[in-house]
Amino acid sequence: MHIPLIVNALLSACAFVITKQLIPGLSDMFIKANLFGHDLNKRSRPKIPEAMGLVTGCVFLVTLFLFIPIPFGNSWLKDNTFPQDEFIELIAALLSICCMILLGFADDVLNLRWRHKLLLPTIASLPLLMVYYVNFNLTTVIMPNFIRGLVGTSLNIGFLYYVFMGMLAVFCTNAINILAGINGLEVGQSIVIASSIILFNCIEMFNDKLNKQDSHIFSLYFMMPYLTTSLALWIHNKYPSRVFVGDTFCYLSGMTFAVVGILGHFSKTVLLFFLPQILNFLYSVPQLFHFVPCPRHRMPKYNADTDLLECSKTVFHRSDLNIFGKFFFELFKLLRIIQWSEDKDGLIAANNFTIINLTIRLIGPTHERKLTWYLMGFQVLCSILAFVIRYPLAEFFYKYE
């Protein structure tokens, strides 16, 4: 029986109740502070409080602050030693997450530019990377069977491993943010990812081969309160949404996933749970890098007459595309993954490049509630695929002693 995990579970349950009660209670305060938006996918376009991920983040942090004495006090009582390295890891992780909550709220208030959204997660991840360097500094990658004859069983990539982990933090914080725009989707996909990580931790804790229980217990310390506070937020954010989560929640989620992946030593497995976000990023590349014109908001278009969501469009002239823009546009046309039209003067109207619009392109105009469930179902299927890749396929490509 692991007492700290039991206490963490109880605190997480309390965090769920508190968050569920706090969110509606604080909604009017956010609206009075002009932190609100209009739900454009409803006929009445109601006024909705924005950036409510701040409430979730604060309860999440307070829960972990209250939890700090439990595992370390328990260790002191058992053998009169203080696990200093583990304590520093926890504090550094909380510092990085706290920084991202602050920066996410600043983004909600100040509407930061994209270059800031790439730079700030990198800076916030520095305490995490420094702790990893001091405590572990493991930069060796195990090679698949089919290339071990060329590079050996493992390869030390040194500084590049830290570049990878820094990029992981940037990707996680922004990947959830760009797969958004309909009620419940940001929180819903995060709940599926968090549940997948918790299941993975539980499987690995009972896997005698790897003997990394401490790393997975550390991950559970973060994932359980994160999951319960997110569930409480989802209750209010699901269709029809009564609150918007804002960039604060997306940044909190991304950094939390990056923290457990990096310090729990399963960063590549975390990426497997981000398969829909990776696909969305790859599909969005032409617009994210402005090879194709990219409007600020790419959420689906609401048709008030049918109460359904349709593909939102970007309009541009063929002559405005550079060589990369023309390449991606023709490639997507060939793959039939865009909806487009072109007049005789070369003016093109194409759907915005997100998998939300791609889903509508494939199944037709859809009600917002159904569209959210379709995308969350896809997230679940991708998590199942991730477990298949992580276990049966990994056994095929890697040899375990």
Side-chain angles (χ1 to χ4, degrees):
M1 182 181 294
H2 197 278
I3 294 176
L5 276 180
I6 295 173
V7 174
N8 187 279
L10 293 173
L11 287 174
S12 299
C14 294
F16 170 82
V17 176
I18 293 171
T19 306
K20 187 173 180 293
Q21 296 298 321
L22 272 180
I23 289 174
L26 296 175
S27 294
D28 288 341
M29 182 187 298
F30 277 65
I31 291 176
K32 289 177 182 177
N34 288 323
L35 286 171
F36 65 86
H38 293 277
D39 195 338
L40 302 180
N41 293 334
K42 307 292 185 298
R43 287 193 178 99
S44 60
R45 297 196 172 189
K47 185 185 292 186
I48 307 291
E50 181 68 87
M52 295 303 289
L54 178 66
V55 179
T56 305
C58 289
V59 176
F60 171 69
L61 284 178
V62 170
T63 303
L64 286 173
F65 291 161
L66 293 174
F67 176 70
I68 288 175
I70 305 302
F72 301 106
N74 187 54
S75 297
W76 178 265
L77 291 174
K78 285 173 63 176
D79 51 19
N80 203 32
T81 59
F82 186 78
Q84 183 173 340
D85 290 347
E86 290 84 353
F87 180 74
I88 293 173
E89 286 178 36
L90 182 63
I91 297 302
L94 289 173
L95 176 60
S96 293
I97 293 172
C98 189
C99 286
M100 286 316 303
I101 293 174
L102 172 63
L103 297 173
F105 188 64
D107 191 8
D108 284 325
V109 174
L110 304 175
N111 209 6
L112 301 177
R113 296 186 178 183
W114 264 107
R115 60 175 176 266
H116 300 137
K117 295 182 181 184
L118 297 177
L119 177 63
L120 296 178
T122 305
I123 296 174
S125 66
L126 290 179
L128 203 62
L129 299 182
M130 286 301 300
V131 168
Y132 185 89
Y133 174 77
V134 172
N135 283 3
F136 307 108
N137 196 26
L138 299 174
T139 57
T140 300
V141 180
I142 304 300
M143 293 290 104
N145 298 337
F146 58 87
I147 62 171
R148 289 184 179 180
L150 299 175
V151 297
T153 304
S154 61
L155 180 65
N156 190 339
I157 60 175
F159 178 74
L160 292 178
Y161 196 82
Y162 290 91
V163 174
F164 162 73
M165 291 190 291
M167 292 176 64
L168 175 69
V170 174
F171 174 77
C172 289
T173 51
N174 286 286
I176 295 173
N177 197 22
I178 65 174
L179 183 52
I182 57 178
N183 291 174
L185 183 57
E186 298 100 312
V187 188
Q189 62 185 301
S190 300
I191 287 173
V192 175
I193 294 171
S195 301
S196 302
I197 293 175
I198 289 173
L199 177 58
F200 170 72
N201 292 149
C202 293
I203 292 172
E204 291 296 288
M205 283 172 62
F206 295 102
N207 187 345
D208 293 330
K209 293 179 184 177
L210 300 179
N211 194 24
K212 293 182 179 179
Q213 282 203 4
D214 289 346
S215 296
H216 296 290
I217 290 172
F218 175 87
S219 173
L220 288 173
Y221 289 162
F222 284 83
M223 283 293 99
M224 288 197 291
Y226 172 82
L227 179 61
T228 57
T229 52
S230 296
L231 280 170
L233 178 60
W234 182 76
I235 290 172
H236 298 287
N237 180 241
K238 67 180 181 178
Y239 184 93
S241 179
R242 297 182 295 277
V243 299
F244 289 151
V245 300
D247 291 336
T248 307
F249 177 79
C250 298
Y251 284 18
L252 157 69
S253 302
M255 185 55 75
T256 303
F257 296 143
V259 160
V260 299
I262 292 171
L263 294 182
H265 310 291
F266 55 91
S267 54
K268 295 183 288 297
T269 302
V270 167
L271 277 179
L272 288 178
F273 297 131
F274 273 78
L275 286 176
Q277 290 72 28
I278 293 172
L279 292 174
N280 185 59
F281 171 75
L282 294 175
Y283 186 54
S284 299
V285 160
Q287 287 191 311
L288 294 179
F289 290 93
H290 294 280
F291 300 143
V292 174
C294 180
R296 178 165 182 80
H297 298 291
R298 301 185 296 164
M299 58 190 295
K301 179 183 176 182
Y302 176 66
N303 188 327
D305 295 330
T306 61
D307 195 30
L308 300 177
L309 297 182
E310 302 172 352
C311 292
S312 61
K313 297 184 182 296
T314 180
V315 179
F316 52 91
H317 199 278
R318 181 176 287 274
S319 61
D320 295 333
L321 298 178
N322 59 24
I323 186 171
F324 297 107
K326 291 176 180 177
F327 169 77
F328 281 111
F329 181 66
E330 295 300 326
L331 176 64
F332 285 8
K333 278 172 55 180
L334 180 64
L335 297 175
R336 297 184 179 181
I337 55 176
I338 57 170
Q339 187 180 76
W340 64 281
S341 62
E342 183 175 2
D343 64 18
K344 61 182 180 180
D345 297 322
L347 190 65
I348 299 172
N351 65 267
N352 284 304
F353 299 171
T354 68
I355 64 171
I356 301 176
N357 284 301
L358 177 58
T359 303
I360 298 173
R361 159 78 177 86
L362 296 175
I363 66 176
T366 313
H367 191 270
E368 185 175 7
R369 188 199 304 269
K370 287 185 178 180
L371 184 59
T372 302
W373 283 111
Y374 287 150
L375 291 166
M376 286 182 63
F378 180 61
Q379 184 85 46
V380 171
L381 290 175
C382 287
S383 286
I384 294 172
L385 176 61
F387 279 106
V388 172
I389 294 172
R390 179 61 181 79
Y391 290 108
L393 288 183
E395 290 285 349
F396 179 74
F397 286 105
Y398 294 88
K399 292 179 181 178
Y400 293 97
E401 299 297 335

